[in-house]
Amino acid sequence: ETLLDLYCGTGTIGLSMAAQAKRVIGVEVVPSAVEDARKNAERNHITNAEFFCMDAAEAASMLRQRGEYPDVVILDPPRKGCSGELLRTVVQMSPKRIVYVSCDPATLARDLRILADLHYIPQELTPVDMFPRTAHVETVVLLSKGEVDSKKIRVEFSLEDMDMSEFQDGATYPQIKEYVLEHTGLKVSNLYISQIKRKCGIGVGKNYNLPKSEDSRQPQCPQEKEKAIREAFKYFGMI
């Protein structure tokens, strides 16, 4: 079977399945990760895998236009989940199975609802507690195409008691700090992030990091850190 691995990172998931696949296609937007994925394939003597450095939605659309129809699609998005455009493009490829690896139950619930409306129904769901003693959980869901039989399948999600504040602006401050540090080696403060949020017209809360008095002076974010923070905003879909 042909396997399409979207948000493939350094290729770990797709490469682990290469021995059971006819062909593996990996897609990742971070250039250094794509380079590492290709090196990982070479080091493990895997010759049936290729990797593209592209946005997942653009790559899925490009592959569909090329007539690529994968049998299995793996989705492993960041916490913000998948866009509706991407999910619709994947469904248009008519894969036999979709495997969704999620790091947040809230966006997973949203995307499973979209996929269910497009006739891809959850068959198995396994939560994985990769971060003990925290509120975070990974979830792996197997979906296949079919009609819902309400007598056999009933899936309910309640988001009322979940803290959704961290999704309002696309990413939390710690996530932005981690991204900037990983990709540039720079450390940025909450103050700098809030300053650039304001420049981009993103809400930061009523009194977040405001000076205590009109005479107070705050350090301004250096240009190189502003550039790095803006790149993080783009990655998380905030701008």
Side-chain angles (χ1 to χ4, degrees), residues 126-212:
T126 303
V128 185
D129 188 9
M130 295 179 64
F131 312 101
R133 295 180 294 280
T134 75
H136 301 289
V137 63
E138 297 270 336
T139 310
V140 183
V141 184
L142 171 65
L143 304 100
S144 64
K145 194 171 185 179
E147 299 296 332
V148 177
D149 184 340
S150 60
K151 295 181 180 179
K152 295 182 180 179
I153 300 175
R154 182 179 179 182
V155 181
E156 294 183 355
F157 297 94
S158 176
L159 307 181
E160 293 179 358
D161 298 324
M162 298 183 67
D163 180 9
M164 299 294 290
S165 60
E166 64 179 288
F167 300 103
Q168 291 176 359
D169 293 327
T172 63
Y173 281 74
Q175 286 176 310
I176 294 169
K177 289 180 180 180
E178 182 181 356
Y179 180 90
V180 171
L181 181 62
E182 180 181 350
H183 289 82
T184 67
L186 297 172
K187 292 184 178 181
V188 296
S189 64
N190 287 358
L191 172 63
Y192 288 163
I193 295 173
S194 65
Q195 287 176 354
I196 308 310
K197 274 191 171 186
R198 289 193 182 93
K199 284 188 177 182
C200 295
I202 302 171
V204 295
K206 187 175 180 180
N207 296 309
Y208 198 90
N209 276 328
L210 291 178
K212 295 180 180 178

Side-chain angles (χ1 to χ4, degrees), residues 65-158:
Q65 290 175 5
R66 279 178 26 177
E68 301 276 6
Y69 292 97
D71 300 289
V72 181
V73 174
I74 296 175
L75 300 171
D76 186 12
R79 291 179 65 81
K80 66 179 182 178
C82 300
S83 68
E85 176 190 3
L86 171 63
L87 294 176
R88 286 187 288 272
T89 301
V90 167
V91 167
Q92 288 171 1
M93 293 179 173
S94 298
K96 298 175 184 175
R97 298 181 299 283
I98 297 174
V99 179
Y100 195 132
V101 183
S102 169
C103 55
D104 186 80
T107 52
L108 174 64
R110 179 200 67 199
D111 291 350
L112 289 183
R113 178 69 270 168
I114 295 173
L115 287 168
D117 290 340
L118 297 171
H119 307 299
Y120 276 84
I121 311 303
Q123 303 298 326
E124 297 181 32
L125 183 150
T126 303
V128 185
D129 188 9
M130 295 179 64
F131 312 101
R133 295 180 294 280
T134 75
H136 301 289
V137 63
E138 297 270 336
T139 310
V140 183
V141 184
L142 171 65
L143 304 100
S144 64
K145 194 171 185 179
E147 299 296 332
V148 177
D149 184 340
S150 60
K151 295 181 180 179
K152 295 182 180 179
I153 300 175
R154 182 179 179 182
V155 181
E156 294 183 355
F157 297 94
S158 176

